[in-house]
């Protein structure tokens, strides 16, 4: 099995090209004004953005010619104090560090607003209290409203010295081309299952059977694998959505709609569109597994725990029908992204499957 090597404990599994690039930039003191960390969810983009910010703001980094935070200067202690408040207490950094600011899409809001960006720009425009960098992170950057994106662009067109902005985005296509053209883009890629497997076993002392299951379920996303391991309810909710989809093939329309309600209830704490897209993503995964089963490619199946259910349906559902369902799910996701009612889209799938 391949060995996991965290680059001097930079918090990232796989994607070593990202750490190599950032380390060389720090060593040569060639820091861009704007970065875009792009790629699918749960790859560690935000975690690396925070860590990179810690390094930039470390007071002793230049003295030691290091690309790693010292952990003992005032700046590092402020970050560590925040981390001690609770697991992933990242949002608290806004309050506890005067040279560090974060904005993200507010709960139940569709976009990051122009007011948020104006405050963000204003804070970064103030002088550093310690004559160091000012660093700002925009999470969910692909959800910037048009007005917010244009307000940010004005700042990027006239960058201030020693001000660094990091945009964390799943999809750079959703960003203004003029923002992308002024940024250093770092693309995060999905990670091999065996690396995630080793990570779970070595870092989290996961049982090997669980590590095998979750490293496949995560589809190359280490943070998601960790969540499966540590959050039992999250895993149970995932299983529920898979079972709901498999049950559709043995149910009448009324029973399907009841099952759909069960899948939706598991995501009731999240906003509708995002939650519905996650349900569709899970259904795409199990449908893909059913297609693989038709071709006797069981070793590639993502949802191994559902193997018996997949096998039971193998001779009942024609391959042509599974391919049609795959296309329908892709169209359904597109509809939701284009603001069609998520509830109606999911109901349409359940009725016409």
């Amino acid at each position: 099995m391949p060995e996991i090597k965290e680059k001097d404990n930079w918090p990232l599994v796989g994607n070593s090209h990202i750490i190599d690039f950032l380390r060389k930039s720090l060593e040569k003191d060639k820091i861009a004004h704007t970065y875009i960390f792009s790629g699918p969810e749960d790859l560690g983009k935000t975690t690396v953005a925070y860590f990179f910010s810690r390094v930039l703001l470390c007071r002793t980094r230049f003295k030691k010619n290091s690309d790693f935070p010292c952990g003992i200067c005032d700046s590092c202690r402020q970050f560590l104090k925040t981390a001690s408040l609770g697991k992933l207490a990242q949002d608290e950094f806004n309050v506890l560090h005067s040279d560090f600011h974060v904005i993200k899409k507010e709960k139940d809001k569709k976009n990051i607003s122009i007011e948020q960006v104006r405050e963000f720009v204003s804070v970064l425009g103030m002088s550093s209290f310690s004559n160091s960098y000012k660093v700002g992170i925009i999470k969910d950057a692909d959800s910037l409203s048009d007005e917010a994106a244009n307000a940010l662009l004005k700042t990027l067109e006239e960058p201030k010295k020693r001000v660094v902005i990091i945009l964390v985005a799943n999809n750079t296509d959703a960003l203004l081309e003029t923002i992308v053209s002024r940024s250093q883009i770092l693309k995060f890629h999905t990670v091999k299952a065996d690396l995630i497997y080793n990570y779970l076993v070595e870092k989290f002392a996961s049982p090997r059977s669980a590590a095998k299951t979750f490293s496949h379920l995560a589809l190359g996303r280490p943070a998601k694998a960790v969540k499966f391991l540590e959050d039992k309810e999250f895993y149970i909710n995932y299983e529920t959505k898979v079972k709901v989809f498999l049950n559709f093939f043995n149910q009448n329309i009324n029973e399907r709609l009841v099952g759909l309600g069960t899948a939706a209830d598991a995501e009731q704490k999240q906003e509708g569109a995002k939650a519905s897209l996650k349900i569709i993503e899970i259904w795409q995964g199990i449908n893909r597994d059913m297609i693989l089963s038709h071709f006797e490619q069981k070793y590639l199946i993502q949802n191994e725990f559902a193997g018996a259910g997949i096998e039971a349906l193998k001779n009942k559902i024609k391959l042509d029908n599974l391919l049609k369902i795959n296309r329908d799910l892709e169209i359904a996701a597109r509809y939701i992204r284009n603001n069609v009612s998520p509830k109606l889209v999911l109901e349409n799938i359940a009725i016409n499957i």
Side-chain angles (χ1 to χ4, degrees):
M1 291 181 292
E3 180 184 359
I4 294 176
K5 291 185 178 179
E6 294 181 346
K7 299 281 184 174
D8 290 339
N9 294 321
W10 276 62
L12 189 65
V13 180
N15 284 296
S16 58
H17 65 287
I18 300 288
I19 303 306
D20 289 339
F21 179 86
L22 293 175
R23 292 181 67 193
K24 288 176 182 176
S25 299
L26 289 162
E27 289 169 2
K28 297 177 180 179
D29 198 26
K30 291 186 176 180
I31 307 300
H33 291 292
T34 310
Y35 293 88
I36 297 176
F37 289 6
S38 72
E41 289 184 346
D42 298 319
L43 293 181
K45 301 188 300 296
T46 301
T47 301
V48 172
Y50 277 109
F51 193 85
F52 183 47
S53 301
R54 282 183 58 193
V55 179
L56 287 173
L57 293 169
C58 176
R59 308 286 190 252
T60 64
R61 179 174 67 84
F62 285 109
K63 295 178 182 178
K64 295 184 177 182
N65 192 27
S66 173
D67 54 28
F68 201 82
C70 70
I72 58 175
C73 70
D74 289 343
S75 175
C76 286
R77 285 203 301 270
Q78 285 178 301
F79 276 95
L80 294 172
K81 181 179 179 182
T82 298
S84 71
L85 294 177
K87 188 178 179 181
L88 296 179
Q90 296 163 334
D91 296 332
E92 314 298 336
F93 284 130
N94 298 345
V95 178
L96 295 179
H97 204 297
S98 56
D99 292 332
F100 182 67
H101 192 54
V102 182
I103 59 172
K104 65 177 182 177
K105 183 164 64 72
E106 295 177 350
K107 188 176 181 181
D108 300 325
K109 297 291 185 181
K110 181 181 177 182
N111 298 113
I112 295 174
S113 69
I114 188 172
E115 290 78 17
Q116 287 176 280
V117 169
R118 282 173 176 165
E119 180 189 2
F120 179 79
V121 169
S122 175
V123 171
L124 293 181
M126 298 177 184
S127 298
S128 167
F129 282 84
S130 57
N131 196 32
S132 69
Y133 281 96
K134 299 278 288 190
V135 183
I137 295 176
I138 302 180
K139 298 170 65 175
D140 315 306
D142 35 9
S143 66
L144 285 161
S145 69
D146 291 341
E147 296 83 0
N150 282 307
L152 177 65
L153 179 60
K154 291 180 181 178
T155 297
L156 303 187
E157 288 174 338
E158 299 178 1
K160 292 193 174 184
K161 188 177 180 181
R162 299 179 74 79
V163 171
V164 176
I165 295 175
I166 305 172
L167 287 75
V168 180
N170 296 338
N171 179 17
T172 55
D173 291 340
L175 297 170
L176 287 179
E177 289 184 11
T178 42
I179 288 179
V180 175
S181 66
R182 286 171 169 78
S183 306
Q184 174 66 59
I185 302 173
L186 298 181
K187 294 183 179 180
F188 288 66
H189 305 294
T190 51
V191 180
K192 291 181 179 180
D194 51 1
L195 277 177
I196 298 176
Y197 171 88
N198 284 357
Y199 179 61
L200 295 179
V201 171
E202 296 173 12
K203 271 290 189 182
F204 295 89
S206 168
R208 294 184 181 275
S209 58
K212 182 173 180 290
T213 296
F214 297 147
S215 61
H216 281 88
L217 280 186
L219 283 182
R221 292 170 286 186
K224 190 169 186 179
V226 173
K227 194 167 185 180
F228 277 130
L229 179 67
E230 296 189 328
D231 188 339
K232 186 176 181 180
E233 184 179 356
F234 179 74
Y235 176 63
I236 290 173
N237 287 344
Y238 179 94
E239 276 193 327
T240 297
K241 296 180 189 69
V242 169
K243 291 174 183 177
V244 164
F245 182 81
L246 292 175
N247 288 339
F248 281 161
F249 298 97
N250 294 312
Q251 293 175 327
N252 60 41
I253 290 176
N254 289 332
E255 290 171 331
R256 292 176 190 176
L257 292 176
V258 171
L260 176 61
T262 301
D265 287 345
E267 297 287 355
Q268 61 185 343
K269 295 180 181 179
Q270 297 190 40
E271 54 192 292
K274 186 175 181 180
S276 297
L277 285 171
K278 287 186 176 180
I279 290 173
I280 289 175
E281 180 184 320
I282 292 170
W283 289 355
Q284 286 175 314
I286 190 67
N287 192 68
R288 182 172 57 249
D289 286 348
M290 295 170 74
I291 293 172
L292 288 169
S293 180
H294 266 275
F295 288 103
E296 301 296 337
Q297 302 293 314
K298 296 180 181 179
Y299 68 97
L300 293 176
I301 285 178
Q302 173 193 5
N303 300 279
E304 293 180 338
F305 70 88
I310 292 171
E311 195 65 25
L313 292 169
K314 182 176 177 180
N315 297 322
K316 184 176 181 179
I317 308 169
K318 294 181 179 179
L319 179 60
D320 286 347
N321 190 32
L322 291 174
L323 294 173
K324 178 183 179 299
I325 291 170
N326 190 59
R327 291 192 295 271
D328 289 345
L329 289 170
E330 289 178 357
I331 293 170
R334 197 179 311 142
Y335 281 155
I336 292 175
R337 292 190 187 99
N338 289 327
N339 299 321
V340 177
S341 166
K343 182 174 183 292
L344 291 178
V345 171
L346 292 180
E347 287 179 350
N348 184 63
I349 293 171
I351 291 170
N352 293 296
I353 201 165

